[in-house]
Amino acid sequence: AARRAEATLHDRFGAFFGRYDLVLAPTTAAPPPLVGAMLDLGGLATDRAMVAACPYAWPWNILGWPGVNVPAGFVAGGLPVGAQLLGPSNSEPLLLSLAAQLEADLRWHERWPEPIAADSPAV
């Protein structure tokens, strides 16, 4: 069923790129889960949790179209969050070029989260 829907999805999403070069979207819908938060989930429950956490990423995975994740700051507790640059088929050069420009301009290599104390509940 998914393969039968691909052409329709490509056409529907592809029409958007007649007017726009790319999509900027959050990487996740919520702050990152704590380490081990999904440890006891089975396969299907893990898949559902990941789709819920990343609702903006899975359509691109289904389409097979490129995307690149870039740093977007830190949430309370110091965990990093990202943004996605998403494009149509064969837009890898555009996405990588834009990500490289953002990396150079925003100097990501100089930005680090604040250390979390070993006794913090977030660890």
Side-chain angles (χ1 to χ4, degrees):
R3 289 287 180 213
R4 285 193 305 271
E6 273 184 5
T8 301
L9 291 171
H10 281 182
D11 291 345
R12 187 177 294 168
F13 280 85
F16 177 85
F17 294 106
R19 296 185 61 194
Y20 302 98
D21 295 328
L22 55 87
V23 173
L24 172 64
T27 299
T28 60
L34 297 176
V35 172
M38 296 184 197
L39 190 61
D40 294 327
L41 298 179
L44 183 57
T46 299
D47 287 347
R48 288 181 175 160
M50 294 308 299
V51 168
C54 304
Y56 316 106
W58 71 267
W60 253 249
N61 290 339
I62 290 171
L63 291 169
W65 285 354
V68 63
N69 188 65
V70 296
F74 302 96
V75 296
L79 294 172
V81 292
Q84 299 176 99
L85 304 171
L86 305 167
S89 182
N90 302 313
S91 63
E92 290 90 344
L94 171 65
L95 295 173
L96 290 174
S97 175
L98 183 54
Q101 182 178 352
L102 287 168
E103 181 178 14
D105 288 349
L106 299 175
R107 306 184 60 81
W108 294 334
H109 62 282
E110 295 176 356
R111 300 181 67 199
W112 292 85
E114 292 295 321
I116 298 174
D119 59 351
S120 170
V123 174

